[in-house]
Structures are given as structure tokens and as C-alpha cells.
Amino acid sequence: MKSIVVTFSIIILLLSCNSKDKNITQTEVIEISKDTIETAEKPDLNITKDFVLGKFDYKRDSTFIKIDAQHASKDIYLKKEAYDAFLQMVDAANRDDVDLKIVSGTRNFEEQKVIWERKWRKYKQLEPKQRALKILEYSSMPSSSRHHWGTDIDLNSLNNSYFNSGKGLKAYEWLTANANSFGFYQVYTDKSNGRTGYNLEKWHWSYLPLASKYLEFYNANINTEDISRFEGAELAEVLLIIEEYVNGISEKAKQYK
């Protein structure tokens, strides 16, 4: 009788241990699954204030890549994701006998400052506010340019007239019909519908799957005090640079989700 009691106790103990082990295993699986879901919903986009302000070295950033010479007129870098999408767009354009070449891509704060201050000196005969407005017809203040983000490209020519006839017109018509399906949108469209900011730029196309997120971060974290350290920077607030220029994009781009 004593032997039966001992045997029964051992069986109960073994069953209890197996049950505990099973519970531990189930708990671990649930926790791993939860972590995986949270990571998928919150991808690391590496968005910081310095990044959206252009205050970084994109040539040393592993998320940027140098564009192959056959697709660019000079040494140009882009975000890898934007470049991959561009290559897909180029392949589609080539099948329709349309040639697309990038003439400008990523520019950081220092590079944009060189452009801005060169033009600031060029228009020195104008008083400061008018001088800035003249530059702002086509060029951004440093720390307010979409070109800082590695998502925006200038294609084929920096003159609207190029896109009015011949190969330029064919390329523009192809882009307006097809570029959106690859994530690229013309952000500086005609201003007749009330769009503010820069003038029409038929060459400027933005990869919105990334750029829309960067703009959202910019609007939530940047103010005109962050736009500084170049000639004329004190005019950023007066000229409503963030409201009228950074956000002066097409309605189609604003509505992108």
C-alpha cells in the first residue's frame, strides 16, 4: 500500500512539472510575437531634427547610396529606397522610349548654403526682403529644402521650357501619367490653384513614401528658430518659410498617405 502511494505521488509531480513547462513555453511565444508586431508597426526611419534640417553627411550615412553614373549628370546621392524606386521607374520609362536622368539629388545644409549665399550676393542691389523673395522663386533657404532628405530629384533639365516640346514634353507627359505609381510626385505644380511658395518646377519630383513622413516630422518639431546660420536667415519668420514654402506643395502631395 505504501508503494502505491509513493508511485502515485511521483506521477502527480511529473504531471505538474510538465504543465508548468508548457505554460512557460506558451508565454514566451506570445511575448516574442508581440515584440515582432510592434517592430513591424514602427519601422526605424532614422528621423531626427538634424536630418530634416540637412545637418549631416549623407555620404557617410548607410541609408544613402551613390547613383550609378548612367543615371546622373554628376556625383549624386539618394536614399536607397528612393533610388530603388527610381530604377524601377527608369526601366518602365525606357520601355516607352523616355529617357530620365537625375541632374540634382541630395543636398545637405552646407551645400544649400553655398547656393543660397551665392544668389544672395547676386541680388545685392535689392533690399533684404526682396532679395530673399527673388531667391525663393526657385531656391530654398538652408534647412528648409526637401533636397536635404534624399527623396527629391530634379530630372533632365532645370528649365520649364525644356518640358514644353520635343523630348522634354514627352518625358513630362510620361511622368505625369506614370510617376505616381512608383511613388514620385511633382510637388511644385502650377500656382494658379492657390499653391504658395516656389514657382512651377516641372523637373522636381519627390518620393512621397518617405518624404511625406519627413515633412510630418518637420512640421511637428521644427520652427523658424532652427533655420539659421546663413545670410538672410533672420527673414525666415517674416516670410513664413515653413508655412508658405516648406508646406507650399501640391494638393495631391498634401493628401498623400
Side-chain angles (χ1 to χ4, degrees), residues 21-257:
D21 289 343
K22 185 177 181 181
N23 288 338
I24 291 172
T25 302
Q26 289 176 337
T27 301
E28 289 173 347
V29 170
I30 291 172
E31 288 177 352
I32 291 172
S33 176
K34 183 179 179 182
D35 289 343
T36 302
I37 292 171
E38 288 179 350
T39 300
E41 291 177 347
K42 300 176 182 179
D44 181 14
L45 292 174
N46 192 34
I47 311 178
T48 65
K49 287 186 67 172
D50 280 347
F51 172 75
V52 295
L53 293 170
K55 297 178 180 180
F56 68 104
D57 184 356
Y58 56 82
K59 294 180 181 179
R60 295 175 178 269
D61 189 318
S62 62
T63 66
F64 283 75
I65 189 170
K66 185 177 179 180
I67 296 172
D68 191 282
Q70 66 176 312
H71 300 304
S73 61
K74 56 185 178 181
D75 286 353
I76 294 174
Y77 287 74
L78 286 179
K79 274 282 188 175
K80 288 181 179 179
E81 183 180 328
Y83 184 43
D84 288 342
F86 171 76
L87 292 177
Q88 293 177 38
M89 184 167 70
V90 165
D91 287 342
N94 287 342
R95 289 194 292 271
D96 291 332
D97 194 30
V98 170
D99 181 45
L100 299 177
K101 179 164 286 191
I102 301 175
V103 296
S104 187
T106 306
R107 295 193 295 269
N108 63 18
F109 174 88
E110 294 300 331
E111 290 166 325
Q112 193 67 29
K113 180 179 178 180
V114 169
I115 294 172
W116 177 270
E117 293 191 341
R118 183 181 70 242
K119 293 186 176 184
W120 185 262
R121 293 189 294 273
K122 178 181 178 180
Y123 300 119
K124 62 183 180 181
Q125 74 279 7
L126 301 175
E127 58 93 10
K129 184 177 179 180
Q130 293 305 313
R131 193 188 311 191
L133 287 172
K134 182 64 177 177
I135 301 170
L136 287 166
E137 289 179 3
Y138 293 104
S139 296
S140 303
M141 282 187 172
S143 286
S144 70
S145 174
R146 298 176 69 93
H147 280 286
H148 293 330
W149 307 339
T151 56
D152 287 49
I153 52 179
D154 295 335
L155 293 173
N156 293 14
S157 173
L158 297 178
N159 290 298
N160 286 315
S161 59
Y162 167 82
F163 298 98
N164 293 336
S165 61
K167 290 183 178 181
L169 177 60
K170 184 177 181 179
Y172 185 67
E173 289 178 339
W174 189 93
L175 286 165
T176 55
N178 299 283
N180 291 178
S181 62
F182 297 94
F184 288 93
Y185 287 70
Q186 183 186 354
V187 285
Y188 303 134
T189 50
D190 189 276
K191 296 172 73 173
S192 60
N193 63 353
R195 184 184 66 79
T196 62
Y198 311 104
N199 289 346
L200 169 68
E201 293 185 357
K202 292 185 175 182
W203 59 82
H204 189 133
W205 295 80
S206 180
Y207 183 66
L208 291 190
L210 288 180
S212 62
K213 295 179 176 63
Y214 298 153
L215 179 59
E216 182 180 3
F217 180 93
Y218 193 104
N219 284 325
N221 295 277
I222 304 302
N223 56 54
T224 51
E225 292 179 0
D226 296 307
I227 302 174
S228 61
R229 296 199 298 111
F230 60 91
E231 294 184 83
E234 67 279 1
L235 295 167
E237 182 176 3
V238 175
L239 297 176
L240 303 175
I241 292 299
I242 295 177
E243 297 89 337
E244 300 288 313
Y245 290 88
V246 175
N247 288 288
I249 57 178
S250 68
E251 282 301 316
K252 201 171 185 180
K254 286 181 178 180
Q255 294 168 8
Y256 180 87
K257 298 295 183 182

